[in-house]
Amino acid sequence: MEQAPKEKKQRILSGIQPSGTPSLGNYIGAMRNWKLLEDQYDCLYMIADLHAITVRQEPAKLRAQSIQLLALLLAIGLDPEKNVLFFQSHVPQHAQIGWLLNCYTYMGEMSRMTQFKDKSAKHADNINCGLFTYPILMAGDILLYQANLVPVGHDQTQHLEICRDIATRVNGVYGNVFTVPEGYYPKVGARVMSLQEPTRKMSKSDPDDCFISILDTPDAIRRKYRRAVTDSDAEIRFDPAAKPGVSNLLSILCALTGEPMDALVERLSGKGYGELKSAVTEATVETLSPIQARFNQVMGDKAYLESVYRTGAQRAGILAERTLAKLMKKIGFIAK
Ligand code: TYM
């Protein structure tokens, strides 16, 4: 019997920096959605180690965090056969396209990036050029794979916009070189906030009590939520502007349990913040425990981890080279 032609799946690329142990924000905003997309899309997930050195990293720690992150991607259930899992630094085309795209991006565009402003304020002793051109490398990451969708949290919106601008500009000059990608954001949890400063995003590079790490023990999770900043009016209500701390805990709970916000608020109305904190602690421990168990298993199998990242780099490299060669030909370089 004749088989119907297979419809080509849309392509997804996303990445995460090995700049610390991932936070619950990384998990809710990005990583767990990656798992949900693996059957429907053709997915590549990258450990963005080249990006991580825009901030000074200790070599041994960078190595440890990179392997740990790969193990975590496997622990959240990403299937390395269905998804291409790789280290950015293993595919040299990322650095190459980064240079090329530098020449199609304006200083003014980069100067407007809020992450550059934030990070250069935070690392005033190391405002390097990489920190400034970071969004260009990120655009290259996405465009190399002709990605249609990029699943990320809200903090990456501006980077994605500039990626689309660069792609459109290059296409305008040379014809059809790049797919212009779209962002793909979760409905709940696209911006999980810090537990200590709930008007800022939760970040894995902040002080320990500001964020829940995916590898935190139940005791640490309980302690951090107990100390989480709320407010003094003792009413459980979702109102991020007036009640950022409480609203953040509610959002985390919603994201982890899948319960709609209205139902959750109704169920907790009249109860104390202690109860909200217990509920969010329980949901977090329940989500993270099985991931941690799988993580410990995977970390024990170095040969497996090595085979995953080697295969990933090979698969990614073939796709990346195709786009890079196409772009270089269009620009006018002599083919090798
Ligand atoms: P990174 O490592 O900061 O974060 C990884 C992913 O987690 C999301 N995220 C959050 N989501 C919700 N709430 C939070 N508090 C929170 N914190 C982080 C981020 O939006 C991101 O999706 N530049 C990227 C890495 C990167 C990349 C790429 C991403 C490099 N190249 C190409 C997509 C495509 C970054 O620093 O992510």
Side-chain angles (χ1 to χ4, degrees), residues 5 37 78 219 233 333:
L37 298 165
L78 287 177
D219 275 350
D233 79 4
F333 294 116

Side-chain angles (χ1 to χ4, degrees), residues 214 216 218 221 284-295:
I214 296 198
D216 273 345
I221 294 170
T284 305
V285 171
E286 214 165 277
T287 304
L288 297 185
S289 294
I291 296 175
Q292 294 174 356
R294 279 194 300 271
F295 169 79

Side-chain angles (χ1 to χ4, degrees), residues 13-17 25-26 29-30 46 48 51 134 138 141-142 150 152-153 155-156 189-192 201-202 204:
L13 177 121
S14 197
I16 177 166
Q17 292 193 58
N26 295 129
M46 174 190 86
H51 278 91
Y134 173 118
M138 180 164 157
D141 300 337
I142 299 167
V150 185
V152 282
D155 62 325
Q156 299 298 318
R191 194 169 172 81
V192 177
K201 74 161 183 174
M202 179 180 279
K204 56 180 160 338

Side-chain angles (χ1 to χ4, degrees), residues 41-60:
Y41 296 91
D42 175 17
C43 304
L44 297 107
Y45 296 118
M46 174 190 86
I47 294 172
D49 49 3
L50 295 177
H51 278 91
I53 64 162
T54 52
V55 171
R56 202 67 78 226
Q57 303 287 341
E58 208 183 289

Side-chain angles (χ1 to χ4, degrees), residues 86-226:
F86 66 105
F87 291 115
Q88 186 185 25
S89 63
H90 287 184
V91 181
Q93 287 83 357
H94 288 260
Q96 290 175 278
I97 199 168
W99 169 255
L100 301 177
L101 298 182
N102 257 285
C103 303
Y104 296 83
T105 311
Y106 299 109
M107 296 288 287
E109 289 175 308
M110 289 297 99
S111 312
R112 285 196 291 277
M113 296 287 121
T114 52
Q115 194 173 77
F116 172 70
K117 291 182 202 161
D118 289 351
K119 285 209 172 171
S120 48
K122 216 162 149 186
H123 303 279
D125 57 336
N126 181 21
I127 306 178
N128 60 73
C129 295
L131 202 57
F132 188 67
T133 57
Y134 173 118
I136 306 176
L137 182 60
M138 180 164 157
D141 300 337
I142 299 167
L143 301 178
L144 267 181
Y145 300 99
Q146 307 287 352
N148 305 93
L149 290 179
V150 185
V152 282
H154 271 156
D155 62 325
Q156 299 298 318
T157 308
Q158 207 183 22
H159 292 160
L160 213 63
E161 275 312 306
I162 196 77
C163 171
R164 289 168 52 85
D165 290 347
I166 296 172
T168 308
R169 180 171 307 141
V170 171
N171 286 347
V173 179
Y174 298 111
N176 193 18
V177 183
F178 295 131
T179 301
V180 181
E182 305 272 348
Y184 188 97
Y185 304 96
K187 286 196 186 76
V188 221
R191 194 169 172 81
V192 177
M193 310 308 272
S194 159
L195 298 181
Q196 290 301 316
E197 278 183 79
T199 51
R200 293 187 36 212
K201 74 161 183 174
M202 179 180 279
S203 166
K204 56 180 160 338
S205 42
D206 275 348
D208 198 50
D209 55 349
C210 294
F211 74 99
I212 305 284
S213 139
I214 296 198
L215 294 178
D216 273 345
T217 61
D219 275 350
I221 294 170
R222 194 165 302 114
R223 181 171 38 81
K224 289 182 186 182
Y225 280 129
R226 208 183 301 130

